[in-house]
Amino acid sequence: MKRLFRRLLRGVGLAAASALVLSLATAAGDPHPLATAPAGPPDATAPTERVGALHVHTRASDGGGTLDDVAEAALDAGLDFVAVTDHHARPLTTPARRAGVLLVVGEELRVPDGHVVVLGGAATGAPELRIAAHPEGPTRPWRGAGRAGFDALEVWNWDSDWRDDGLRDWAGALALLMWKPEAAMLRLIDRPAASLERWDALLTEGEPVPGLCAVDAHQRVTLGAAGALPFPRYRDLFRLARMHVWLDDDAPRAPVDEAAAVVEALRRGRAFCAFDARADSRGTRVWAAGPGGTAGPGQTLVWSDPPPTLSVRVPDPGKPVEIVVVRAGEGPVHRVPGPEALALPLPGPGVYRVEVSLLRGRRAVPWILTNPLRIVEAGPEG
Ligand SMILES: [Zn+2]
Ligand SMILES: [Zn+2]
């Protein structure tokens, strides 16, 4: 943290100098207003969407706000749920609704391999879901090999992402921060290439490991003896990066049951993550369809002849879009500019996931990362 702040303070001088230039570029970083979702695929692949934030710290550990601050910020940002995960502490023992927002109970633990975020567990109504936190983080990377010790992987973590940026990005972000915190934070978001590479390697073996995005929100930056700043704010992070989960139905549930359903959807990979401050991704759909039926992220379809086709639909963000279909172990198998629906005949059995980026000039900035769906060979019993 000290190192970070030396960097930050050094950046301030540069930031002031570059403020004028950068303010001219602000328009490019503007979050786009909400777009409307096009019609989706068969309902079976994505029935009910809930939107939330994972990995949030409060004053129970090194965060700067209370549970009420978190709930109000989440309400403000339009979230349905937040997973509160303090370091070795649970300010809440059972899931609850505050300000209309579901608070999912969890904890962040230090283990020999790194940090693991645990959702569910005792008194929460859900079995434990163990998530390897900030696997490529500059301070506490995940040191374990393979998939031992966790059920899911943070493929993107805000706290890791903003620390690995160069001074130039930092200076720009600081200059923007005064006027447009969201745009400033968006500037710092990169495609998490190393974590995606780790994820794809895991996806080639056995049951797919869900990939999740975590805000790792603290709303607190320490300044050593000078105290602390309430930055970056919960509200801005909750608008920035969100997990979208699909529940099987829209039934009203008690908080403990709703939290269990959210954790279960994450465990099954019935989810995608999106940098919604770029454009609202609600209504995004990915599905494979063939003679064997239909499957979305977190689901499995049997290979067939003719081959199943993969479709992707995203809400129109009002900007150029690039859709990339990734086959684990092989990399991109299809890349298409434009938000039009795909109907890609799949090249063979495998694990497929989708990345959607917004094109800014020649640069593709990440927008949506979906969990994979799996196409398997027909078994001996068909
Ligand atoms: Zn951590
Ligand atoms: Zn954390």
Side-chain angles (χ1 to χ4, degrees):
M1 200 53 104
K2 269 186 189 151
R3 195 165 56 101
L4 168 68
F5 252 80
R6 272 202 301 274
R7 259 168 93 188
L8 198 151
L9 291 174
R10 257 186 288 138
V12 168
L14 240 171
S18 55
L20 182 68
V21 176
L22 284 157
S23 64
L24 298 173
T26 308
D30 265 353
H32 192 269
L34 306 188
T36 49
D43 276 355
T45 58
T48 295
E49 191 169 338
R50 298 267 194 274
V51 182
L54 301 183
H55 194 154
V56 175
H57 297 277
T58 72
R59 283 181 200 162
S61 62
D62 57 354
T66 63
L67 284 176
D68 286 323
D69 294 335
V70 168
E72 270 154 37
L75 175 70
D76 227 36
L79 296 188
D80 301 308
F81 69 89
V82 174
V84 177
T85 55
D86 276 301
H87 298 281
H88 296 267
R90 294 193 180 217
L92 198 65
T93 49
T94 50
R97 273 204 181 85
R98 291 207 190 174
V101 175
L102 176 72
L103 299 179
V104 177
V105 175
E107 199 169 357
E108 181 170 14
L109 304 176
R110 185 171 297 186
V111 295
D113 282 334
H115 285 188
V116 67
V117 166
V118 180
L119 300 184
T124 63
E128 267 189 12
L129 174 70
R130 297 177 77 85
I131 305 162
H134 40 75
E136 267 67 44
T139 44
R140 305 260 174 217
W142 185 262
R143 293 197 185 82
R147 53 197 291 159
F150 61 90
D151 309 303
L153 186 70
E154 282 184 359
V155 292
W156 180 85
N157 176 296
W158 159 256
D159 212 49
S160 299
D161 196 342
W162 77 317
R163 284 163 204 258
D164 68 10
D165 285 292
L167 197 58
R168 245 180 25 179
D169 291 327
W170 259 100
L174 282 168
L176 277 173
L177 203 58
M178 291 176 257
W179 302 290
K180 292 175 180 284
E182 265 178 27
M185 289 152 90
L186 278 174
R187 287 178 79 97
L188 295 172
I189 290 181
D190 305 313
R191 182 178 179 274
S195 295
L196 291 173
E197 205 174 294
R198 181 192 291 253
W199 192 27
D200 283 332
L202 293 173
L203 290 177
T204 59
E205 314 155 7
E207 290 283 312
V209 172
L212 310 175
C213 290
V215 287
D216 207 348
H218 291 78
Q219 191 163 284
R220 185 171 193 273
V221 161
T222 52
L223 300 171
L229 283 176
F231 169 82
R233 292 183 306 172
Y234 292 134
R235 199 188 63 187
D236 296 326
L237 283 170
F238 293 168
R239 287 190 175 141
L240 188 72
R242 308 177 184 197
M243 280 310 303
H244 297 241
V245 302
W246 291 300
L247 305 184
D248 291 336
D249 60 65
D250 203 11
R253 276 176 276 254
V256 66
D257 299 322
E258 180 84 353
V262 167
V263 173
E264 196 47 36
L266 294 170
R267 183 193 314 282
R268 288 161 56 205
R270 298 285 294 133
F272 67 93
C273 87
F275 302 107
D276 281 335
R278 297 203 200 281
D280 192 352
S281 64
R282 212 182 283 249
T284 292
R285 298 286 185 268
V286 173
W287 71 101
T294 307
Q299 296 176 332
T300 299
L301 187 66
V302 174
W303 177 251
S304 57
D305 184 21
T309 57
L310 184 79
S311 296
V312 179
R313 253 177 230 173
V314 298
D316 182 1
K319 296 171 188 170
V321 164
E322 180 186 67
I323 295 174
V324 178
V325 178
V326 176
R327 185 185 195 183
E330 202 172 293
V333 292
H334 196 73
R335 193 183 286 273
V336 58
E340 74 269 23
L342 277 177
L344 171 74
L346 290 172
V351 178
Y352 293 90
R353 60 180 187 80
V354 173
E355 294 183 25
V356 187
S357 302
L358 300 182
L359 299 176
R360 205 179 280 162
R362 284 192 192 164
R363 203 172 148 230
V365 294
W367 179 29
I368 298 167
L369 302 169
T370 78
N371 265 277
L373 57 84
R374 191 153 66 135
I375 311 290
V376 296
E377 297 273 13
E381 287 116 52

